[in-house]
Amino acid sequence: MLNLVIFGAPGSGKGTQSEVLIEQYGFDHISTGDLLREEIKQESELGKAAKSFIDAGQLVPDGLIIGMIEKVLEERQPKRGLILDGFPRTVAQAEALDELFAKHGTAVHAVLELRVGEDELIQRLLKRGMGSGRSDDNLETIKKRLDVYHAQTAPIAEHYGKKGVHHAIPGSGAISDITARIGEVIDTLG
Ligand code: ADP
């Protein structure tokens, strides 16, 4: 059982690469962004609480996210491996995840950081916004999300660097080339 975290700025390709990895390795996938958008669609209490944060480009409070993750992990009980996409997004979330995994006798085995330049990220997200209808893919909110990423999410690279599980992956170029780079890391994990 392999626990992978795929992490990177908005638009860095986390969702795209997760899809390929699910296909190639049969991993289970948990995307907190997808889960939150589903809660919003269902008009649940959590969805209502999360919507204003998402539309403002801010993070949903840690307590709500950690509660959601605990519930989903219990429901799914992944077997072969797990890709966490969009979580953890703060050092507090990373610490909560470490504790949760430790309780279950497991750990985060690798954190894959997809690195893409800022201009390319903005272009990708604007393009996605034209097709996806996502309320947060507009220029103002994209810039806010990138600021939040640098301030609150990027520090988790250091958190996992200290544990020796952080890997930086160049995230520009063909999708298949990036998948191959990720595959090289996964192969070293055994
Ligand atoms: P992107 O990586 O393009 O921003 P996501 O779908 O991962 O897309 O996230 C969309 C929004 O959902 C974020 O801007 C944030 O408001 C919220 N969100 C997702 N995951 C988390 C998380 N782990 N902690 C807090 N907020 C989150």
Side-chain angles (χ1 to χ4, degrees):
M1 168 80 188
L2 210 53
N3 297 312
L4 302 179
V5 170
I6 187 153
F7 127 83
S12 58
K14 302 184 291 287
T16 305
Q17 291 301 328
S18 294
E19 274 177 33
V20 185
L21 295 173
I22 295 162
E23 181 104 333
Q24 276 191 4
Y25 295 90
F27 290 157
D28 225 292
H29 176 228
I30 295 178
S31 155
T32 42
D34 287 351
L35 290 172
L36 290 169
R37 281 184 289 278
E38 187 55 33
E39 295 284 341
I40 291 172
K41 220 167 91 191
Q42 304 294 333
E43 297 182 2
S44 68
E45 286 308 311
L46 173 58
K48 283 182 210 159
K51 185 170 171 28
S52 56
F53 293 102
I54 293 179
D55 287 349
Q58 289 169 349
L59 295 183
V60 175
D62 287 336
L64 292 180
I65 298 287
I66 293 162
M68 181 173 82
I69 282 282
E70 280 178 340
K71 191 163 153 265
V72 174
L73 279 178
E74 274 186 21
E75 282 167 7
R76 300 246 191 120
Q77 303 203 330
K79 299 266 171 329
R80 304 181 67 157
L82 176 66
I83 306 170
L84 291 167
D85 161 5
F87 175 87
R89 229 176 175 98
T90 62
V91 172
Q93 289 180 16
E95 287 167 350
L97 178 66
D98 293 345
E99 258 180 53
L100 191 67
F101 274 164
K103 253 197 273 175
H104 290 88
T106 187
V108 170
H109 299 110
V111 174
L112 308 164
E113 178 187 352
L114 295 174
R115 287 209 180 143
V116 177
E118 197 101 348
D119 289 345
E120 187 174 341
L121 291 171
I122 294 173
Q123 292 314 316
R124 287 185 186 182
L125 290 166
L126 286 173
K127 196 167 152 211
R128 181 172 81 187
M130 288 193 283
S132 71
R134 259 180 65 166
S135 56
D136 55 350
D137 282 342
N138 60 78
L139 189 57
E140 190 190 340
T141 312
I142 288 168
K143 287 192 167 156
K144 175 74 192 161
R145 280 155 63 206
L146 289 170
D147 288 347
V148 166
Y149 175 78
H150 291 302
Q152 292 179 257
T153 306
I156 73 168
E158 202 188 324
H159 173 86
Y160 287 113
K162 283 188 207 145
K163 295 178 184 288
V165 295
H166 173 259
H167 305 266
I169 310 236
S172 291
I175 291 174
S176 57
D177 290 345
I178 300 160
T179 309
R181 289 173 203 146
I182 293 175
E184 280 171 25
V185 175
I186 294 177
D187 290 345
T188 65
L189 301 172

